Amino acid sequence: MSPLAKVRQRQELHRELCRDCNGDKPVLLIGIDDTDSKYGMCTTYIAALLVRALSKYGEVSLPVLMRLNPTIPYKTRGNGAVALFVATEKEGEVKELVLQTVAENAELKAEGTEPGIVFVRRHELKSDRERRLAYFSAAAVRHVLSIEDAKKTIAKLPLEHSAFKRGRGLIGALAAVGFPFLHHCSDERLLDKTYELIAYRHEERWGTPRDIDAASVFLADRLTYPLTWDTVDHSLRRVICAPHSPCPVLFGIRGDDVAAIHRAYEIIRSEPVKMTQLFITNQGTDAHLIDARICDVKDYHSYILKGIVSREPVVIRGGHVIFSISDPDGTASIDCAAYEPTKGFRNIIRRLRVGDIVAAYGSVKNSTLNLEKIEIIKLKEHVIKKNPKCSICGRTMESGGKNKGYRCVTCKTHAPSPVLIMERRDLEEGLYEVPPSARRHISKPLIRFPPEVRAHPSR
Ligand code: ATP
């Protein structure tokens, strides 16, 4: 697909999401979050059910799957929240059905599952309120918010909402309805969009091993990559588009091109699929990353930090590789870690040397940056001293002692000083990434970067 066609496709979909401000029917935006637990369910499944159930009340948009701050400790898996928009005059019936569907399907008995639902009347939303929603949405991707923060914004707008238990899900629900208005934020990374087609399992199979033909998944990947990505991990020879949890998801195909995603889906052979749902998402966009200086770093945030390698990489127990970078003026430094699951990425990290200039991408917890990507901006040139070779026999000369130069024991030749040579660095400048199996949902695969970026994709 040409870049222009891609832009048109995005604009069209974006218009679809934000549409109908002046249309003949009012549009209701619905945000939902925190319905699942590690024992089951998935908020995207509830969205897929609602897309079908609500269509009797009006036209339903492509639902949003928005990934929020990936470091949040309350998350079940990928900190995802959903939103959908219905063009309808039957607002009362729609709200009732949404509440009923969440109440019937959410894992309400599980500790820590606290669903939240937010309703926004699109036609009542003028640009200052759109902006407020967008800022909340952006903050939920990058910062740590409280239920109070969500309630304050809900009260100011004001919005109708529903909360179960303490209603922590209100944070994600409010963030998800702000997704179509992120164009009010100037940050490019927040504007990027991708797609995922999720296939769901029949209920009687939930919790049993997934029956997916791995060879067909590799074929689907071969025929549609790079328009689809993160379906398989070639270095591990593993299918990674299927979860291992007891949730209703069978597998999900991610990508930039809706046609390619559907083509991949058609190729994959598996157990019977109950239903599929396409989502517009911020997966694979790096929307969570904040450009910052090392001295400003806080735990539970994700950054791009430029610095100079100040402590050489060491391998610690468990195979994790740790090194440090410092601000250019040396006032602050931070440990960066390439953990064992990042596999071959650690081979790149191990080759860094003190003095290399890098940009480290990743999330900070316990004052350590968990690397998702690294840009090697400038490799430091290291000069190595070597004993000279004898001009007669060609053998390496021996040192004659401190300040006494070098001599050849056989030919008795003499050289006053060592030979200085540049160390050959077994590393190229550019961007490197962890393999797909270690990638966060929200992290941008290098294959999505523009061609002018010097990138070394993991495959
Ligand atoms: P799944 O991906 O399977 O839907 P999950 O990983 O999204 O599960 P949730 O059950 O949604 O996990 O739990 C995440 C909780 O964290 C939600 O209650 C959500 O409102 C809240 N949350 C999301 N972003 C933030 C944030 N930036 N600050 C504080 N809380 C947040």
Side-chain angles (χ1 to χ4, degrees):
M1 183 193 272
S2 74
L4 189 64
K6 207 182 211 174
V7 168
R8 283 214 192 97
Q9 186 190 41
R10 285 200 181 136
Q11 281 171 331
E12 203 180 303
L13 277 161
H14 201 74
R15 264 201 301 278
E16 194 185 334
L17 287 170
C18 311
R19 111 202 114 153
D20 223 5
C21 213
N22 310 310
D24 51 0
K25 272 188 205 150
V27 173
L28 190 67
L29 281 61
I30 306 157
I32 306 170
D33 195 17
D34 208 343
T35 64
D36 57 6
S37 76
K38 62 176 187 279
Y39 309 108
M41 196 34 61
C42 175
T43 309
T44 69
Y45 179 77
I46 293 182
L49 290 180
L50 283 171
V51 166
R52 282 149 185 82
L54 293 178
S55 58
K56 67 172 178 251
Y57 297 121
E59 213 186 325
V60 185
S61 77
L62 192 65
V64 167
L65 164 55
M66 187 171 185
R67 296 289 175 182
L68 306 171
N69 185 339
T71 69
I72 291 300
Y74 324 107
K75 69 177 183 177
T76 312
R77 285 176 295 268
N79 202 6
V82 302
L84 40 126
F85 311 149
V86 198
T88 184
E89 272 152 0
K90 300 194 170 145
E91 196 186 297
E93 283 102 319
V94 167
K95 285 177 179 164
E96 203 174 303
L97 185 56
V98 171
L99 287 175
Q100 190 192 328
T101 308
V102 171
E104 278 172 9
N105 290 281
E107 287 274 299
L108 290 171
K109 288 204 186 100
E111 197 191 331
T113 301
E114 303 183 7
I117 306 168
V118 170
F119 298 103
V120 182
R121 289 199 183 102
R122 174 71 186 96
H123 48 289
E124 288 179 5
L125 208 57
K126 300 292 172 256
S127 74
D128 58 325
R129 296 168 77 223
E130 278 185 8
R131 208 167 275 127
R132 195 183 277 272
L133 263 185
Y135 294 162
F136 185 90
S137 200
V141 179
R142 295 188 172 175
H143 300 284
V144 182
L145 302 173
S146 64
I147 304 175
E148 273 319 299
D149 292 327
K151 286 187 175 164
K152 266 190 220 153
T153 306
I154 285 170
K156 276 199 186 122
L157 283 165
L159 301 175
E160 215 177 297
H161 63 284
S162 216
F164 296 74
K165 304 189 210 165
R166 281 173 307 171
R168 184 174 296 285
L170 287 174
I171 302 169
L174 186 59
V177 285
F179 179 89
F181 311 115
L182 284 169
H183 54 270
H184 288 295
C185 306
S186 53
D187 190 312
E188 278 291 311
R189 286 195 288 272
L190 288 167
L191 303 187
D192 196 6
K193 309 271 187 293
T194 66
Y195 302 93
E196 177 165 1
L197 181 72
I198 303 183
Y200 296 97
R201 316 183 74 190
H202 287 281
E203 226 165 305
E204 60 273 17
R205 291 191 183 246
W206 295 358
T208 64
R210 287 165 174 81
D211 183 5
I212 302 171
D213 177 50
S216 70
V217 182
F218 274 89
L219 178 65
D221 166 78
R222 185 154 63 78
L223 297 179
T224 59
Y225 178 87
L227 294 175
T228 66
W229 28 263
D230 288 3
T231 310
V232 296
D233 187 316
H234 279 272
S235 58
L236 295 179
R237 297 286 308 151
R238 196 182 287 161
V239 168
I240 55 160
C241 63
H244 296 285
S245 60
C247 77
V249 173
L250 180 57
F251 60 83
I253 308 291
R254 295 172 184 188
D256 283 85
D257 183 288
V258 174
I261 290 173
H262 277 98
R263 200 168 347 121
Y265 171 73
E266 293 300 331
I267 295 167
I268 294 173
R269 289 191 304 274
S270 71
E271 66 184 54
V273 169
K274 174 179 173 169
M275 61 179 170
T276 61
Q277 183 61 55
L278 182 72
F279 290 85
I280 184 163
T281 86
N282 64 345
Q283 292 174 158
T285 63
D286 275 349
H288 61 314
L289 298 176
I290 305 168
D291 293 287
R293 292 181 319 159
I294 297 170
C295 55
D296 296 327
V297 159
K298 286 187 279 188
D299 271 357
Y300 300 109
H301 291 71
S302 308
Y303 297 101
I304 301 177
L305 299 175
K306 195 172 162 185
I308 300 170
V309 175
S310 51
R311 188 166 62 100
E312 221 139 274
V314 286
V315 182
I316 62 164
R317 235 172 76 191
H320 317 303
V321 183
I322 316 280
F323 67 99
S324 309
I325 58 171
S326 298
D327 271 337
D329 59 7
T331 49
S333 70
I334 186 165
D335 284 347
C336 301
Y339 290 110
E340 190 280 332
T342 66
K343 304 289 177 197
F345 178 68
R346 294 170 301 165
N347 296 335
I348 305 298
I349 300 304
R350 268 202 298 261
R351 291 176 207 157
L352 291 170
R353 295 277 171 273
V354 168
D356 291 341
I357 300 173
V358 299
Y361 293 52
S363 301
V364 177
K365 264 190 195 172
N366 302 322
S367 304
T368 300
L369 184 131
N370 176 358
L371 282 168
E372 294 167 12
K373 279 193 265 293
I374 192 156
E375 182 180 5
I376 301 174
I377 299 169
K378 184 97 187 81
L379 287 168
K380 175 149 175 138
E381 292 181 342
H382 285 264
V383 175
I384 310 174
K385 287 181 188 173
K386 281 205 157 176
N387 290 10
K389 296 240 189 288
C390 169
S391 56
I392 298 173
C393 69
R395 289 205 197 102
T396 303
M397 295 170 116
E398 285 181 5
S399 170
K402 204 174 171 197
N403 297 329
K404 288 197 176 134
Y406 298 83
R407 61 191 168 87
C408 174
V409 283
T410 321
C411 313
K412 309 293 178 216
T413 50
H414 181 265
S417 47
V419 180
L420 301 180
I421 53 166
M422 285 295 184
E423 183 192 6
R424 240 195 82 246
R425 299 292 301 274
D426 196 9
L427 193 56
E428 277 179 39
E429 288 163 3
L431 265 161
Y432 295 83
E433 64 184 351
V434 302
S437 56
R439 188 161 20 246
R440 294 199 133 127
H441 302 283
I442 200 168
S443 288
K444 182 167 169 169
L446 289 184
I447 197 70
R448 295 200 65 240
F449 279 65
E452 62 273 18
V453 172
R454 189 169 177 193
H456 306 271
S458 64
R459 72 184 264 199

